[in-house]
Amino acid sequence: FIKTREPLAPYTHLKIGGPAQYLVQPRDADELRAVLAACQKHGLPVRMLGGGHNLLVRDSPIAGAVVRLTSGAFGLIEWDGRRITAGGGAPLFDLIAFAARQGLSGLETLVGL
């Protein structure tokens, strides 16, 4: 869940990136809230790391917490008949495909991001 001085290269598409002071992968929303509260309390910067595509990470250390929302709890995509709701960890391609299966359009322009 929390790793210190974790190299970010394995988490990026280009396999580059220095170590994060803290790499945090919360399992659910409660853990995410606790991490964000702790970072705020201690004045640590927070950066979100998605799929690692289209991203250049410097080789020098990254101060603060780098948060990855990889748990299934953050990848849910739902449709209520009017609105799609997607978790912050849902892959963009999955969201686009889900919308298309519902007969919705507009997100397909995001393919490749």
Side-chain angles (χ1 to χ4, degrees):
F1 155 77
I2 297 177
K3 297 178 181 178
T4 59
R5 295 187 298 272
E6 177 74 6
L8 295 179
Y11 304 98
T12 67
H13 180 72
L14 296 174
K15 303 299 180 204
I16 60 172
Q21 183 177 359
Y22 302 103
L23 176 65
V24 183
Q25 298 181 90
R27 294 171 287 211
D28 57 36
D30 289 335
E31 286 186 2
L32 177 59
R33 274 190 283 279
V35 165
L36 296 176
C39 288
Q40 184 175 19
K41 178 180 176 180
H42 297 288
L44 291 173
V46 175
R47 293 171 178 84
M48 301 301 292
L49 177 60
H53 296 276
N54 299 325
L55 179 68
L56 296 174
V57 179
R58 66 178 185 231
D59 288 332
S60 56
I62 311 297
V66 175
V67 178
R68 293 185 73 226
L69 302 179
T70 56
S71 167
F74 299 109
L76 297 177
I77 302 172
E78 298 173 330
W79 165 248
D80 68 4
R82 286 188 47 236
R83 177 180 306 167
I84 292 178
T85 303
L92 183 57
F93 181 82
D94 293 354
L95 175 59
I96 295 166
F98 182 88
R101 285 193 301 274
Q102 306 311 315
L104 303 172
S105 64
L107 293 180
E108 62 279 354
T109 60
L110 299 175
V111 169
L113 285 183

